[in-house]
Amino acid sequence: MLHINRLWCKGCGICIAFCPKKALSLDAEGKAVHEPDKCVSCGLCEQYCPDLAIMLEGKPGKGKKEAAS
């Protein structure tokens, strides 16, 4: 699940540039928004956001050790 903190987002567009599936865009207020149907949870938007406004929960591979035990 992708969360965008609208208070921290400055609308720089870096997340949009790095999204391989074009799942992000800027809304009328100039803030990043995403289309969940297009998002593949790659995490590039979170990694490159200079304002730390994007957080990806449930990253692939997270918690696999606990499930395998």
Side-chain angles (χ1 to χ4, degrees):
M1 177 62 80
L2 186 72
H3 297 282
I4 300 172
N5 184 329
R6 294 180 59 79
L7 294 175
W8 293 0
C9 177
K10 294 179 184 161
C12 68
I14 292 173
C15 59
I16 296 166
F18 280 97
C19 182
K21 297 296 180 180
K22 306 298 181 209
L24 292 157
S25 60
L26 296 179
D27 66 8
E29 296 175 9
K31 304 288 183 169
V33 292
H34 85 290
E35 295 180 52
D37 293 342
K38 291 183 179 180
C39 181
V40 294
S41 301
C42 67
L44 289 175
C45 56
E46 178 185 38
Q47 181 178 351
Y48 287 104
C49 178
D51 300 310
L52 306 175
I54 300 175
M55 186 174 81
L56 183 65
E57 290 183 14
K59 296 174 188 168
K62 198 173 195 182
K64 283 191 176 181
K65 283 189 177 182
E66 292 85 8
S69 299

